[in-house]
Amino acid sequence: MRKRERENPCGVCGHYHKYEEGEVCETCGHRMLATSEKASVHFSAFPSEILPQFLYLGSYDNASRSELLKTQGISRVLNTVPACQNLYKNSFTYHCLQDDKSLSFDDANQFLENCERDKARVLVHCMSGKSRSPAIVIAYLMKSKGWRLERSHQWVKERRPSIDLAEAVYQQLQEYERKLFGSTDGPDSSTPVFPSLDVQPFSFGFPKTDDQVPMPAFNNIAATSIFSRPNFEGPPQEFTFGAGLSQNNNTCHNSNSSSDVQMDSS
């Protein structure tokens, strides 16, 4: 390697490679973005703040700007790409995931939980800040907040619109969701769910609203109206009140009449 190259390392990753010419770094895999990529990706020197004053999400470019990280109060870095070199070990506390294919959510969450307990601000980064590092952040929200995958993904997407999870990475998040919640279908844990109790309601002897209540007799069309006149065309058939008394009165009246006649004749 020529002396000029040694004196002029890459300003992004700090390694010696022809960054301006588009050469890929042999140490960390970093390269300069093409013109079309620069137009499609919103570039920011600062990482995205996911949780206020605690959790930040960014790219390797963000992780390489030590002075900007210090201005945000970041003191710890979670590196999700084993090929990316930890540049400032004297200034930051690093934790690097060792598997470049599958994401170790439990390992990452343990480190992030320690950062939160120590009230230390932490940056989670991958190469572009679009897939691996957002997945780690989403998994942490699922674990720490009790949110389902959909809500956690939406939370991160709103704060860093450029994220674009790879299909394999999203499948790993679905498996992690099943591990945490038992299934990928169901309500969000933030919404309380109360079991239904089969308890009979109190009625105090009154009929329920859906019971059939018998209609009053005076509303029956077949019933006789109280204002209708009785039929007197024939003598009453079963009327016996005072019948015996009227018969005795007739007998007494006849006997008196006969005695009167006898008295007149005399």
Side-chain angles (χ1 to χ4, degrees), residues 90-255:
N90 294 331
S91 301
F92 303 96
T93 300
Y94 286 89
H95 182 78
C96 184
L97 301 183
Q98 301 302 321
D99 197 337
D100 59 349
K101 294 182 179 181
S102 62
L103 294 170
S104 179
F105 296 125
D106 293 332
D107 183 18
N109 285 339
Q110 183 176 1
F111 176 76
L112 294 176
E113 288 172 357
N114 293 336
C115 295
E116 186 175 16
R117 184 189 65 240
D118 298 340
K119 298 181 179 180
R121 302 187 183 188
V122 56
L123 168 68
V124 182
H125 80 87
C126 57
M127 183 58 67
S128 62
K130 296 174 59 178
S131 184
R132 287 180 63 91
S133 55
I136 292 296
V137 172
I138 290 173
Y140 179 75
L141 294 178
M142 293 166 61
K143 178 67 180 300
S144 63
K145 302 294 185 181
W147 296 345
R148 303 303 291 254
L149 174 57
E150 181 179 359
R151 181 179 180 182
S152 301
H153 180 269
Q154 181 180 1
W155 180 275
V156 178
K157 184 73 173 178
E158 291 175 353
R159 285 150 182 80
R160 189 174 179 85
S162 62
I163 69 170
D164 185 16
L165 301 180
E167 182 178 357
V169 172
Y170 192 80
Q171 290 177 355
Q172 293 183 48
L173 284 173
Q174 288 179 323
E175 295 176 0
Y176 190 66
E177 182 185 25
R178 285 192 291 268
K179 178 181 178 181
L180 292 178
F181 304 103
S183 65
T184 56
D185 298 328
D188 192 274
S189 59
S190 61
T191 304
V193 178
F194 300 97
S196 59
L197 301 177
D198 187 12
V199 180
Q200 297 295 332
F202 293 100
S203 61
F204 297 102
F206 295 101
K208 295 185 293 184
T209 56
D210 56 348
D211 292 342
Q212 295 296 332
V213 181
M215 298 297 295
F218 55 82
N219 286 338
N220 191 349
I221 299 177
T224 305
S225 174
I226 60 175
F227 298 103
S228 61
R229 300 181 62 183
N231 187 7
F232 296 105
E233 294 180 357
Q237 301 295 328
E238 298 180 357
F239 185 75
T240 58
F241 179 77
L245 180 60
S246 60
Q247 184 178 1
N248 294 332
N249 290 337
N250 293 337
T251 305
C252 295
H253 179 72
N254 292 337
S255 59

Side-chain angles (χ1 to χ4, degrees), residues 54-72:
F54 166 56
L55 186 58
Y56 297 81
L57 173 61
S59 63
Y60 189 65
D61 179 74
N62 299 132
S64 65
R65 302 174 183 271
S66 60
E67 296 301 324
L68 295 182
L69 296 182
K70 291 178 181 179
T71 59
Q72 290 184 290

